[in-house]
Amino acid sequence: MGMGTRRKKIVEEEPSQSPSLSEDGGSDSQGEGSEDAGSDDGSSRYEQVREQRIKENMERMHKLGLLDLSLKLKPPKKNPPHKKKKTTPEPNLSPQRRSSRIMTLAPVNYNEKRVRDSSSKESKELEIFIPEGTNPEFYTEEQEKFLGDCETAWELYVDGYDEDGNRIYDPIKGETCHQCRQKTLGEHTQCNKCELLQGQFCGDCLYMRYGENVMEANQNANWMCPPCRGICNCSRCRRGKGWMPTGNIYSKVSKLGFKSVAHYLIKTRRSESDELEGSASGADSTLNRLSTRTLAQRDAEDLRE
């Protein structure tokens, strides 16, 4: 039976009640009472019809098997995992075995952290490594005399740089530095001996690599460039001598107390070459003494015979 049919049947069964009006146009008390009773009767009938409809729907769902299907589709309830209780380890009440030989000694603490040696770390940071070339690197006493100096320190990373601290490269107006091979703006040297492009050094390279001030060099009428003095340490000149390039080692040599890279190379390699020459001369003198002793022994044996 459809919803429309049931509602029509309910309407037909309900008696039509109209309030009786009195002569003066008002409704009497009997009419009001009957209207209230009719409204209560209508609400109870609606509840009965609603319950009947729910019952019929449940029976229909049961016949179709929808109730069992809905129960199967519900996910099973998962039991919450049991939390493991933290257990504190029981104290070891058994007597500790200690040898009588070590009972007087303090127990060893294996949890102590090793203290890093800051001096060894600094020495590793200041270690300078230059690969060996095809020829041994050494310098003469005359080259050490050609090391430059300056009266005023040169301020690095200012001349030839913009406001943001970036170096200005200009292929047209710039001048090529013999050391860094960059065509930049700023002060550059001019060699009074060769008067060639090899005598052009920018202010930063001249100060870091040779310990000289570019302004003082340009004011000196007898100034010679490092290639003319035989102390140039650029990559091209070093490879021409069979030596490997040094790389950027200015910060390390300055921490070691050297004025420039040239001062570090010449002073350290000069001492090494002196030691090699001393050891070689010592070996030669030892050989001479041995040969002289051998000749004297032979002369003595000849006299005995």
Side-chain angles (χ1 to χ4, degrees):
M1 183 183 295
M3 291 288 295
T5 308
R6 285 200 298 268
R7 288 180 180 178
K8 185 176 181 181
K9 185 177 181 180
I10 292 171
V11 173
E12 291 177 355
E13 290 177 357
E14 291 181 353
S16 59
Q17 297 179 1
S18 60
S20 57
L21 300 176
S22 59
E23 294 178 356
D24 55 356
S27 60
D28 54 1
S29 60
Q30 185 178 0
E32 291 180 357
S34 62
E35 185 179 357
D36 294 338
S39 61
D40 294 338
D41 191 13
S43 61
S44 62
R45 287 176 179 278
Y46 174 76
E47 293 293 335
Q48 293 176 1
V49 174
R50 181 174 177 275
E51 291 177 359
Q52 182 66 23
R53 186 166 62 251
I54 292 173
K55 184 177 179 181
E56 292 177 357
N57 290 336
M58 293 295 290
E59 290 177 357
R60 188 179 294 106
M61 291 176 65
H62 184 68
K63 290 179 181 180
L64 295 174
L66 298 178
L67 292 177
D68 298 336
L69 182 61
S70 62
L71 294 175
K72 290 181 181 180
L73 294 177
K74 287 184 178 179
K77 294 183 179 179
K78 295 183 180 179
N79 297 326
H82 297 285
K83 294 183 179 180
K84 295 183 179 180
K85 296 182 179 180
K86 295 183 180 180
T87 57
T88 56
E90 297 180 357
N92 188 10
L93 301 177
S94 60
Q96 296 182 357
R97 299 177 60 185
R98 290 184 65 86
S99 173
S100 59
R101 180 175 56 85
I102 62 174
M103 285 182 66
T104 57
L105 300 177
V108 181
N109 185 8
Y110 294 98
N111 295 327
E112 292 180 355
K113 295 181 180 180
R114 295 182 179 179
V115 181
R116 294 182 179 179
D117 190 2
S118 59
S119 60
S120 62
K121 185 178 180 180
E122 290 178 359
S123 62
K124 288 183 179 179
E125 290 179 355
L126 295 178
E127 185 178 356
I128 298 174
F129 173 73
I130 301 175
E132 294 184 0
T134 56
N135 297 329
E137 184 177 355
F138 63 91
Y139 299 90
T140 62
E141 184 179 358
E142 184 179 1
Q143 287 174 320
E144 188 174 0
K145 293 180 181 179
F146 278 132
L147 286 172
D149 197 0
C150 61
E151 296 180 358
T152 58
W154 174 259
E155 189 175 0
L156 297 173
Y157 312 118
V158 175
D159 185 48
Y161 290 78
D162 58 11
E163 297 178 354
D164 297 331
N166 300 318
R167 200 170 188 184
I168 303 174
Y169 299 94
D170 195 331
I172 299 175
K173 298 181 180 180
E175 294 179 342
T176 304
C177 174
H178 177 81
Q179 186 76 35
C180 62
R181 311 294 176 189
Q182 301 297 329
K183 205 166 189 179
T184 59
L185 301 178
E187 292 290 335
H188 287 71
T189 60
Q190 298 292 333
C191 180
N192 295 311
K193 183 180 179 181
C194 65
E195 297 181 356
L196 300 175
L197 292 177
Q198 70 173 11
Q200 291 184 170
F201 286 80
C202 65
D204 288 1
C205 288
L206 187 68
Y207 186 76
M208 290 189 293
R209 305 296 295 195
Y210 306 98
E212 302 176 34
N213 191 319
V214 64
M215 303 299 292
E216 296 177 3
N218 288 334
Q219 292 174 2
N220 186 2
N222 299 322
W223 186 84
M224 291 189 301
C225 63
C228 289
R229 285 178 273 172
I231 60 172
C232 182
N233 53 52
C234 73
S235 59
R236 183 178 297 180
C237 291
R238 286 182 63 83
R239 289 184 185 279
K241 297 176 182 177
W243 305 338
M244 295 299 293
T246 63
N248 189 9
I249 59 174
Y250 171 71
S251 59
K252 292 183 178 181
V253 301
S254 60
K255 290 179 181 179
L256 292 175
F258 293 94
K259 189 177 296 184
S260 68
V261 176
H263 287 77
Y264 166 77
L265 292 174
I266 294 177
K267 289 183 179 296
T268 55
R269 298 300 191 275
R270 182 86 171 88
S271 59
E272 292 176 2
S273 62
D274 290 342
E275 292 177 0
L276 292 174
E277 290 176 0
S279 61
S281 60
D284 293 339
S285 60
T286 303
L287 291 173
N288 291 332
R289 287 196 301 270
L290 290 174
S291 60
T292 304
R293 186 180 301 174
T294 303
L295 291 174
Q297 290 176 355
R298 288 180 181 178
D299 293 338
E301 291 176 358
D302 292 339
L303 291 173
R304 290 175 185 175
E305 292 177 355

